[in-house]
Amino acid sequence: MRMYDLIHKKKEGKALTAEEIDFFVKGVTSGEIPDSQTAALLMAICLKNMDDREATDLTLSMLASGESADLSAIPGIKADKHSTGGVGDSTTPVVIPTVAACGLKVAKMSGRALGHTGGTIDKLESVPGTRTELSTEEFAEIVNSVGAAVVAQTGTLCPADKKLYALRDFTATVENNALIASSIMSKKLASSADVIMLDVKYGSGAFIKDPEDAMELARLMVRIGEGAGRRVGAIISSMDVPLGRAVGNALEMYEAADILCGKAPEDKLQVCVALCAGMLTLAGIAKGEEAKKMIAEKLESGEAFNKLSEMLEAQGGDTTELRNPAKRRYAPYKMELKAGECGYIYSMNTEEIGLCEGMLGSSRTSLDGSVDFLAGLEIIKKTGDKVSPDDTVIILHTSDEKLLMPAAERLKKAICYSAEKPVLPPVIYGTVGI
Ligand code: URA
């Protein structure tokens, strides 16, 4: 078999066989296929697409490229959740403890920030002392005793995705449903959970801009997961504006703690409740109104918040700041971005907002670099809000003063104003499999 022939075949729009896909994935993993040929095939896939069968075969070959997590020490049904990536999208620290308080065990594997989107591991590590690199035994022990734990994905799971993702990022070949579905589902299948709940984002801050494309992606991922014997569901939710009010690692953890204590921005609460309800439904614990009632009880009673504290403390975290708003640390430098106009916020380019968060110190400049956990943005006004020129729209936070001005200049250009109130997209566009 020759890589040249596979590229040529896909360039002509023909479907690759399972053997051809496996040859490609094995060659990428071993390093035998040069990046130039891998990139050429990725571009041909982006332009000519893959059908469902090819996407499934690609997922299974990527899954087989590495190890799968061993969760055999955790009895019963184990759940995981995954978002396709967004800005201010920290639903995990709300959803995981809430469903754990409802009796569902959560064994979650997460990643770090990617492109303009944030990463759960960075957010959790902003809580002082929190460890996310746990041994299999320690991970199982915490899930068994607390009900939930979150670990950083190891390099031994899906090494093919590691290589392909870096190359896709470099060659503008991220945005393709078959490539996104295989990348996410190979990692989720390798994490070995029985229940997989997906949050597929659409809009200006998501990898997929159009809601119908996001719906298609969700259907594809659910089919792939179900074909592998897992219970999979998805919500399709808007990322046309940052979710909630906080964008930044520590800021998002503070917001998550506040949501669990009853102070929730409406949009983020809606997404969190839908994800919790989906997980409880897939696990067979409760569905519909019964699930929603159970979730509300766990939030109102403080059990969900206690579960978050218990989980973080079991992972070495000091939760003083989460429990005590007066003790929270904030970055030393702040700047208020004023509207400077009268009218309504018509749109917010959420990808740009995510990139500005990165400019303030939240994103890595090298793969093993550190991040400024305190950097970020407080979104005071959002799309659809009425503003006067002196109103603060966003507060920028950073530990490095010289980063403020360039980020503020870029942010200004990311926000459009109008005299008319815009029509807002629904927070949740649809669901699949639940
Ligand atoms: N997240 C992933 O892990 N992979 C993608 O391709 C897109 C988002």
Side-chain angles (χ1 to χ4, degrees):
M1 212 175 278
R2 291 190 322 156
M3 194 53 196
Y4 176 94
D5 299 322
L6 269 58
I7 298 166
H8 188 70
K9 191 171 175 187
K10 189 42 82 183
K11 191 175 77 174
E12 294 197 326
K14 294 185 183 144
L16 301 176
T17 65
E19 292 71 32
E20 286 167 338
I21 289 170
D22 205 46
F23 167 83
F24 165 61
V25 173
K26 284 199 172 108
V28 168
T29 313
S30 68
E32 277 161 73
I33 297 175
D35 286 355
S36 53
Q37 285 190 312
T38 304
L41 184 60
L42 290 172
M43 186 56 83
I45 293 170
C46 275
L47 298 175
K48 299 291 179 175
N49 233 321
M50 278 184 146
D51 61 26
D52 267 25
R53 198 267 310 146
E54 290 176 284
T56 305
D57 287 337
L58 181 58
T59 309
L60 297 179
S61 288
M62 285 164 68
L63 169 65
S65 73
E67 293 169 4
S68 289
D70 178 7
L71 303 184
S72 57
I74 308 169
I77 291 176
K78 277 87 55 186
D80 193 352
K81 71 164 275 288
H82 189 86
S83 157
T84 56
V87 177
D89 183 34
S90 50
T91 54
T92 291
V94 177
V95 171
I96 289 328
T98 305
V99 295
C102 295
L104 176 59
K105 283 187 187 148
V106 188
K108 170 145 178 60
M109 300 204 182
S110 288
R112 295 185 187 276
L114 188 69
H116 69 280
T117 65
T120 300
I121 291 300
D122 293 327
K123 292 170 197 178
L124 294 180
E125 287 181 355
S126 74
V127 177
T130 304
R131 291 179 303 113
T132 57
E133 275 161 28
L134 307 175
S135 67
T136 310
E137 293 74 30
E138 207 179 352
F139 183 50
E141 201 181 298
I142 298 174
V143 177
N144 281 330
S145 59
V146 176
V150 183
V151 279
Q153 212 136 17
T154 66
T156 56
L157 294 188
C158 303
D161 180 62
K162 209 168 176 190
K163 286 203 174 183
L164 286 175
Y165 199 91
L167 211 51
R168 286 168 61 210
D169 206 18
F170 198 56
T171 56
T173 51
V174 172
E175 290 92 350
N176 171 269
N177 276 0
L179 294 177
I180 295 176
S182 56
S183 165
I184 292 175
M185 290 312 291
S186 60
K187 286 178 289 202
K188 288 294 107 181
L189 295 178
S191 78
S192 302
D194 311 285
V195 163
I196 302 169
M197 186 68 208
L198 303 165
D199 183 4
V200 180
K201 302 286 186 188
Y202 75 90
S204 66
F207 290 116
I208 304 287
K209 307 298 177 201
D210 178 76
E212 277 304 311
D213 288 344
M215 187 65 123
E216 266 313 302
L217 174 62
R219 288 194 189 109
L220 176 60
M221 290 200 285
V222 169
R223 280 196 296 268
I224 292 173
E226 286 179 348
R230 310 297 168 87
R231 304 182 202 175
V232 192
I235 62 167
I236 293 87
S237 68
S238 169
M239 194 31 77
D240 243 351
V241 278
L243 192 63
R245 298 271 171 198
V247 179
N249 293 308
L251 292 172
E252 288 181 48
M253 286 305 294
Y254 300 158
E255 184 176 71
D258 292 344
I259 292 173
L260 292 171
C261 293
K263 244 179 76 190
E266 184 47 42
D267 59 346
K268 196 174 252 184
L269 184 64
Q270 216 178 311
V271 172
C272 290
V273 169
L275 289 168
C276 289
M279 289 171 88
L280 295 179
T281 304
L282 292 169
I285 291 178
K287 62 180 179 187
E289 286 310 308
E290 192 199 344
K292 285 196 183 141
K293 196 163 156 251
M294 204 173 194
I295 294 159
E297 273 168 18
K298 300 300 172 190
L299 289 170
E300 278 158 27
S301 65
E303 280 178 73
F305 179 73
N306 290 340
K307 208 39 107 183
L308 174 69
S309 302
E310 246 183 281
M311 181 189 89
L312 290 169
E313 283 162 16
Q315 296 191 212
D318 176 351
T319 57
T320 311
E321 293 170 4
L322 298 187
R323 282 186 279 109
N324 262 308
K327 295 204 170 152
R328 289 179 183 171
R329 286 165 308 143
Y330 290 92
Y333 301 102
K334 280 190 197 181
M335 182 185 276
E336 294 190 3
L337 184 76
K338 301 284 182 188
E341 311 219 10
C342 252
Y344 292 90
I345 298 186
Y346 182 74
S347 66
M348 298 179 113
N349 182 328
T350 304
E351 180 169 352
E352 279 296 301
I353 293 175
L355 291 169
C356 290
E357 179 213 351
M359 284 171 76
L360 290 167
S362 279
S363 71
R364 285 184 176 72
T365 44
S366 67
L367 268 183
D368 50 2
S370 60
V371 296
D372 175 3
F373 287 133
L374 304 182
L377 306 162
E378 275 176 85
I379 315 289
I380 309 297
K381 301 276 185 192
K382 291 174 85 163
T383 306
D385 285 345
K386 197 166 187 189
V387 290
S388 302
D390 277 345
D391 284 345
T392 301
V393 177
I394 293 179
I395 305 174
L396 297 80
H397 294 241
T398 181
S399 301
D400 184 348
E401 191 176 12
K402 68 176 182 308
L403 302 177
L404 282 173
M405 272 318 285
E409 286 303 323
R410 189 162 179 177
L411 262 185
K412 243 187 234 168
K413 295 186 197 130
I415 303 165
C416 289
Y417 299 88
S418 68
E420 303 277 299
K421 190 174 165 70
V423 179
L424 298 179
V427 177
I428 297 176
Y429 182 79
T431 61
V432 179
I434 41 174

